[in-house]
């Protein structure tokens, strides 16, 4: 009878196969435990995993909805082996969701349809008041804010749309304020700009003051007006006059005057006297004629000045152009593009050496001295 070998005396050669038979020296395995109740995941295990790239969904697979906050259940083969081995409960099947309508794209916002259906031709109230000739848009906004405007008998609201047949009423307070607005006629000298100061040049509005008021107007002021500092507030030029040009410049506090003179549909005539040189090769080129320009200037080019020229790729409206004397032309325009007369003359070989505006509509410069101003008379209109 043999005795059992002592523990720890068995020696195995390197590389020898492990024993598979059961015995006291067989390899011990972890006991298989019966499945128990599912345990809650730890905080680290339940933390959201970074999204992994997935292949494009097939035609039969429903894509996940962006922004839903839920992740679509992954198939069993996509699970990690460690998770699959530890789970003792069957995977929860995903509940089919009802199809959701795709989110509507925001329609582009259009300024002409903002808060206005535009079915009945509705427009903003301030624009409608300007079209009716009641005031300018800026004045309309001020009157609406003060409660001086009624629409169909009700107080108006800023920015409200109105139909073409709406009854727009202005209270007497607004009429009284408008009656106090002034319009000034200035004989602008050379070297002043019509609008805001630029390039070191002063604005023509700086000439408006008591010392520069025309004496004839001071003795007989329009409607008994006397100059006051408030007459220079909100005074805006109604039309341009180049820095190198002189003549009649209108400045007004009344938005109706500005719309009448420089509005899109304005047909007010503006008359100019223009002294020119014949310079077919430019003002510094050869062949410049300074005397008796009318004799050297081709008649067909005069016809082009009247009609046939374009500026900024837009054809100009017909103009009246005639010789006043051998060196001076008379222009009558119904539009006012930037430096229009000078650019027109350049296209036909003329160089402008002097330009003076003498009339706007029915209002003439007359004998108003250079650098002085007067009020628009009660009996005057453009």
């Amino acid at each position: 009878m043999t005795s059992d070998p002592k523990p720890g005396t068995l020696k195995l050669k390197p590389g020898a196969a492990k024993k598979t038979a059961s015995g006291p020296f067989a390899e011990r395995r972890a006991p298989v435990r019966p499945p128990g109740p599912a345990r809650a995941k730890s905080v680290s295990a339940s933390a959201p995993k970074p999204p992994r790239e997935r292949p494009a969904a097939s035609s039969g697979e429903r894509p996940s909805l962006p922004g839903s906050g839920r992740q679509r259940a992954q198939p069993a083969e996509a699970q990690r082996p460690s998770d699959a081995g530890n789970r003792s409960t069957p995977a929860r099947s995903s509940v089919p969701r009802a199809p959701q309508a795709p989110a509507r794209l925001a329609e582009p916002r259009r300024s002409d349809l903002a808060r206005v259906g535009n079915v009945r031709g509705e427009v903003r109230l301030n624009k409608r008041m300007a079209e009716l000739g009641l005031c300018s848009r800026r004045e309309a906004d001020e009157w609406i804010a003060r409660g001086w405007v009624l629409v169909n008998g009700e107080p108006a609201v800023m920015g409200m749309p109105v139909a073409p047949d709406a009854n727009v009423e202005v209270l007497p307070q607004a009429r009284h304020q408008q009656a106090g607005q002034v319009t000034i006629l200035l004989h602008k000298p050379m070297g002043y700009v019509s609008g805001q100061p630029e390039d070191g040049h002063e604005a023509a509005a700086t000439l408006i003051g008591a010392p520069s008021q025309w004496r004839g107007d001071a003795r007989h002021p329009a409607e008994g007006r006397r100059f006051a500092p408030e007459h220079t507030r909100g005074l805006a030029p109604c039309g341009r006059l180049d820095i190198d040009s002189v003549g009649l410049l209108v400045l007004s506090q009344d938005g109706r005057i500005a719309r009448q003179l420089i509005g899109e549909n304005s047909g007010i005539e503006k008359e100019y006297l223009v002294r020119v040189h014949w310079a077919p090769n430019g003002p510094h080129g050869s062949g410049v004629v300074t005397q008796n320009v009318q004799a050297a200037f081709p008649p067909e080019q005069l016809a082009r000045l009247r009609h046939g020229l374009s500026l900024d790729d837009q054809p100009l409206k017909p103009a009246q152009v005639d010789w006043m004397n051998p060196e001076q032309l008379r222009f009558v325009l119904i539009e006012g593009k930037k430096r229009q007369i000078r650019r027109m003359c350049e296209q036909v070989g003329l160089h402008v050496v002097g330009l003076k505006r003498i009339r706007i509509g029915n209002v003439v410069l007359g004998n108003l001295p250079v650098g002085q101003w007067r009020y628009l008379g009660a009996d005057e209109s453009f």
Side-chain angles (χ1 to χ4, degrees), residues 22-249:
S22 59
F25 302 102
E27 182 181 358
R28 294 180 179 271
R29 295 183 180 180
V32 179
R33 298 178 182 179
R39 293 180 298 175
K41 294 183 179 181
S42 62
V43 176
S44 59
S46 62
K49 304 297 188 296
R52 293 182 294 179
E53 297 183 359
R54 299 181 56 196
S58 61
S59 59
E61 183 180 356
R62 185 185 63 188
S64 60
L65 298 178
S68 61
R70 300 178 180 176
Q71 294 183 355
R72 189 166 171 265
Q74 299 180 356
E77 60 271 17
Q79 297 178 357
R80 293 184 300 174
S82 59
D83 294 343
N86 293 334
R87 290 184 181 179
S88 59
T89 58
R92 183 176 55 184
S93 61
S94 60
V95 180
R97 305 173 186 171
Q100 299 182 2
R104 295 182 60 186
L105 298 178
E107 298 180 357
R109 183 166 182 170
R110 292 176 51 183
S111 58
D112 58 336
L113 298 181
R115 293 192 296 170
V116 179
N118 211 25
V119 177
R120 298 183 300 165
E122 294 177 330
V123 297
R124 291 185 182 274
L125 178 57
N126 58 358
K127 181 179 180 180
R128 181 59 178 164
M129 294 176 66
E131 292 175 349
L132 295 174
L134 300 176
C135 58
S136 66
R137 294 191 186 188
R138 182 166 51 184
E139 287 176 325
D141 290 337
E142 180 183 354
W143 293 356
I144 294 170
R146 295 189 177 188
W148 293 349
V149 182
L150 303 179
V151 177
N152 295 329
E154 299 292 335
V157 180
M158 188 75 70
M160 67 179 298
V162 295
D165 57 349
N167 181 23
V168 181
E169 182 181 357
V170 177
L171 298 184
Q173 295 92 319
R175 296 296 186 188
H176 179 73
Q177 183 197 52
Q178 195 173 56
Q181 296 174 340
V182 299
T183 298
I184 288 176
L185 310 177
L186 170 68
H187 191 161
K188 187 188 87 68
M190 190 176 297
Y192 287 83
V193 294
S194 302
Q196 297 296 327
E198 58 183 29
D199 299 332
H201 299 283
E202 291 186 88
T206 59
L207 297 173
I208 308 301
S212 58
Q213 185 178 7
W214 183 42
R215 291 183 178 180
D217 190 46
R219 288 195 299 266
H220 306 284
E223 299 179 0
R225 284 194 180 122
R226 299 288 181 181
F227 174 76
E230 56 266 21
H231 291 170
T232 61
R233 298 172 186 170
L235 202 61
C238 303
R240 296 177 57 90
L241 199 58
D242 298 335
I243 188 173
D244 298 328
S245 303
V246 300
L248 179 59
L249 180 64

Side-chain angles (χ1 to χ4, degrees), residues 304 308-316 337 343-344 347:
R304 291 185 62 201
L309 299 179
S310 299
L311 292 179
D312 303 325
D313 298 328
Q314 294 182 354
L316 297 175
K337 295 184 179 294
R343 295 164 66 189
M344 290 174 63
Q347 293 188 29

